[in-house]
Amino acid sequence: MLARFLSEYSFIHDSHYMYTRDQDQATNAEDVLFDMFKNEETGLLSVGKFLAALRITGLRKNDPRLQEFSDLLKKEHAKTGGHEGISHETQKLDREQFRSIINPNIVLISRAFRHQFIIPDWAGFTKHIEDFYWKCKTNTEGKVASYIPQLARMNPEYWGVSVCTIDGQRFSIGDTLIPFTLQSCSKPLTYAIALDRLGQEVVHQYVGQEPSGRNFNELVLDYNKKPHNPMINAGAILICSLLKTLVKPEMGLAEKFDFTMDYFKRLAGGENLGFNNAVFLSEREAADRNYALGFYMREHNCYPDKTNLREIMDFYFQCCAMEANCETMSVMAATLANGGICPITEEKVLKPDSVRDVLSLMHSCGMYDYSGQFAFKVGIPAKSGVSGSLLVVIPNVMGICMWSPPLDPLGNSCRGVQFCEELVREFNFHRYDNLKHATNKKDPRRHKYETKGLSIVNLLFSAASGDVTAMRRHRLSGMDMTLSDYDGRTALHLAASEGHLDCVEFLIEQCGVLHNPKDRWGKRPVDEAETFGHMQVVEYLNNYALAYKTELENKQNECVDDNDSCSKTAETAVQSPLP
């Protein structure tokens, strides 16, 4: 009877960690996070230190998805006597306070610290972005656009890059908070709204889908007497006519402007978006070519019925004169990368089919007369504007906005184009890069320690060096803490042999690993501790083994009177924490 019980108990206990791991992660994530960041002396967690670590994963403290977490932090600060003018980030929280504050957003935060976002090693990836930024900053080629007087006043030294992934990871460097007008970067956005509201069939009755092979403002239509595509001036003017005349036709020009601005803000997750009236007026005054395009299309009956050309032209100039910064535009690009769902608000702004069509034309027509070469060299959907902005979308990964006013002869930002080339030279983001065999490029979507072998090395190194914080991260990420090397040596063996009592306690008490695994030579962790003279570890392991044996005997005695319930009792025993 005892032999059968011990056999069943041993089997169940050996599989206990794997059996309950997912459940433990869900229920213990708050505790693991608290233990990762608490001060060992005071036992309290510094809010500032925690938020700094969260930022390293790519999440910002002002992320709309963390609003509840932020509000609860401020309430706790006020409740515990926080003074006005002193930041709530200076707080020190105990375990219960931390649990209650983090609980509403624990899923998102635990995903961040488990490295489960699209770019797991965010710090490593952004280091490359910084390198590209500084390399491109030395580029002094190009001239600031001068055909619109207001744009000619821009400082050619301005240079900013912002990144936003589909999981809402954010990074910015340079002049990313200085506003600039969208200009042609508004064209894919207005096209997306038209597709979303009217459908592909209606929109493409009026505008084509082919690269023009001509200048973006040339007085020319395709063989069907339609604008070639929505990314050139004629096509964008016609898209504005569809939005004005067919989408909510009862709206006046002012209401339609607000309607479009609201769409843009939703694409940007509520980030800063404005309107530059000076640029609008300047653009309207210098719009002879655009008016010529407008009248030329009216001559060929390109517009829907009841179109007011003056209102349409004003609406087009207003869309171009909307003002944003790199940070805002990067979220818009990320919304396109995420199939129309804004990453930081999780609102479905556009239909996936509409976004697909927008990206297709950005890929083939988004870079003026450089579109073909850009598609060949860089292979990423993009749209440039004469203000120096460059909107880049890496589908299912991230959106990037670059801004630098000096333009090349084709109207694209010199630094922006160079940055894109550097990006695809380092990473396999080109649409036709082979993800499996492009060995000369990095894939930031892959985990740094993706194979089991590397996971073992990482875990055992943490145990041998006594890095209990790293071991908590491994556990939080879902790693099997019982992994062993070729010789059967586990993390517990190494922690015991090096005398790291805190690691030994963590592995046994919080991770539930067996206290007496044997390596290929039959040695247990307690044997390793004795060999190297770590008597505190020896004492702890012997006491735990004694408690373990006592618990077994007690459960065995309970089973003697009821053979049928023996297995069930054993299972209940191992699912309860041992002393």
Side-chain angles (χ1 to χ4, degrees), residues 48 60 70 87 99 127 130 145 192 269 316 403 405 439 525 571:
R60 293 185 176 177
S70 182
S87 171
R99 275 179 178 168
K127 178 65 172 66
E130 285 188 47
Y316 170 70
W403 177 58
T439 53
E571 187 172 355

Side-chain angles (χ1 to χ4, degrees), residues 501 504-505 508-509 515 526 530 535-551 578-579:
L501 181 60
V504 171
E505 291 173 341
I508 289 177
E509 295 176 13
H515 67 284
V526 69
E530 285 178 346
M535 302 317 295
Q536 277 187 306
V537 176
V538 172
E539 182 181 0
Y540 172 82
L541 288 171
N542 283 336
N543 289 340
Y544 185 86
L546 182 62
Y548 181 84
K549 182 180 178 182
T550 302
E551 185 75 8
L578 290 169

Side-chain angles (χ1 to χ4, degrees), residues 516-577:
N516 59 354
K518 293 182 179 180
D519 62 19
R520 67 184 298 188
W521 299 284
K523 288 193 173 184
R524 302 166 299 162
V526 69
D527 300 327
E528 296 281 354
E530 285 178 346
T531 300
F532 295 100
H534 301 302
M535 302 317 295
Q536 277 187 306
V537 176
V538 172
E539 182 181 0
Y540 172 82
L541 288 171
N542 283 336
N543 289 340
Y544 185 86
L546 182 62
Y548 181 84
K549 182 180 178 182
T550 302
E551 185 75 8
L552 276 177
E553 290 174 350
N554 290 340
K555 294 301 176 185
Q556 187 271 332
N557 290 334
E558 291 173 12
C559 285
V560 168
D561 297 330
D562 186 359
N563 292 346
D564 294 334
S565 64
C566 202
S567 295
K568 185 176 180 181
T569 305
E571 187 172 355
T572 302
V574 296
Q575 289 181 358
S576 302

